[in-house]
Amino acid sequence: LAAPLLPGLAPAEVLNYECVYLRRNGTEDDGTGTAGGFKSFGGHTHLFASFDDTAFYAGSHENWDYDLRTLRVGAGGHYLVGERTMIAPSVSVFRSQGEVLAPSWDAPRELRGTGYIAQFDLRHAVTQRIELTAAARVTRFAGDQWRETIGGVMFHATDHWAFGALYHDREGQAGTEFTVRYYY
């Protein structure tokens, strides 16, 4: 996607986008979390998809109770900068539907709609087993827009299994994400 804009960058092979994952946001009371996966094509491009039942992508109001199901699909580019650092811009579209309850409402209201996410990831392999990751994300959904920063650490226990904790700071709310990834 961004290859013409970033000439001279090597394709990402060490920090790859060939995995499936499960994640749980530590601040969510309902739902089970997110399941998804990434697939790389052509050395610089990756596609991804996920299903979420905790309003991980579509919930933006701090005190609202969300009961949403979300399907997300997207594409991005990934490029090594040096031997151990990767940049990865991406865009995605998601479709959410379910119910939401604000503190001032008597009953939940139905919410459905399509949203968009633009994200920029920065990943750095400190060692062959420790990866630091940071991201900036802008989301638009149901007439709202919000920004989020993400940072954390992934421990690559084997060539296939990785475990991580990431901190999310979204306008008005923060939380910790726990993730398990299987690299194929």
Side-chain angles (χ1 to χ4, degrees):
L1 290 169
L5 302 174
L6 302 167
L9 296 177
E13 294 175 3
V14 177
L15 300 167
N16 72 61
Y17 279 87
E18 298 268 332
C19 70
V20 292
Y21 64 87
L22 294 172
R23 75 170 155 220
R24 176 87 168 125
N25 186 328
T27 62
E28 297 295 339
D29 295 329
D30 300 325
T32 57
T34 304
F38 288 85
K39 176 67 178 161
S40 291
F41 295 94
H44 292 290
T45 305
H46 58 272
L47 300 177
F48 54 93
S50 65
F51 175 77
D52 167 68
D53 74 348
T54 64
F56 188 80
Y57 299 108
S60 65
H61 296 281
E62 181 177 9
N63 296 319
W64 291 23
D65 182 21
Y66 292 92
D67 184 16
L68 298 176
R69 307 294 176 264
T70 302
L71 179 62
R72 176 184 70 128
V73 295
H78 51 271
Y79 308 91
L80 282 176
V81 179
E83 294 181 16
R84 303 171 74 88
T85 303
M86 175 185 289
I87 57 172
S90 65
V91 294
S92 60
V93 61
F94 63 90
R95 178 77 180 162
S96 288
Q97 69 180 53
E99 293 183 334
V100 62
L101 178 63
S104 61
W105 300 346
D106 292 333
R109 296 180 185 175
E110 187 171 322
L111 177 65
R112 71 178 63 213
T114 301
Y116 308 92
I117 298 171
Q119 184 164 323
F120 185 84
D121 291 337
L122 176 63
R123 299 171 63 190
H124 179 71
V126 177
T127 70
Q128 288 183 326
R129 299 285 180 220
I130 304 293
E131 172 190 343
L132 299 178
T133 184
R137 177 186 293 168
V138 176
T139 303
R140 293 184 63 86
F141 178 70
D144 289 333
Q145 177 175 309
W146 59 91
R147 291 170 176 28
E148 184 173 3
T149 55
I150 304 161
V153 62
M154 293 295 301
F155 173 66
H156 295 263
T158 70
D159 289 342
H160 295 288
W161 290 100
F163 307 90
L166 297 116
Y167 178 76
H168 291 253
D169 185 4
R170 185 183 294 183
E171 297 172 3
Q173 59 185 334
T176 303
E177 169 193 333
F178 300 99
T179 186
V180 175
R181 297 178 186 171
Y182 177 78
Y183 290 86
Y184 52 90

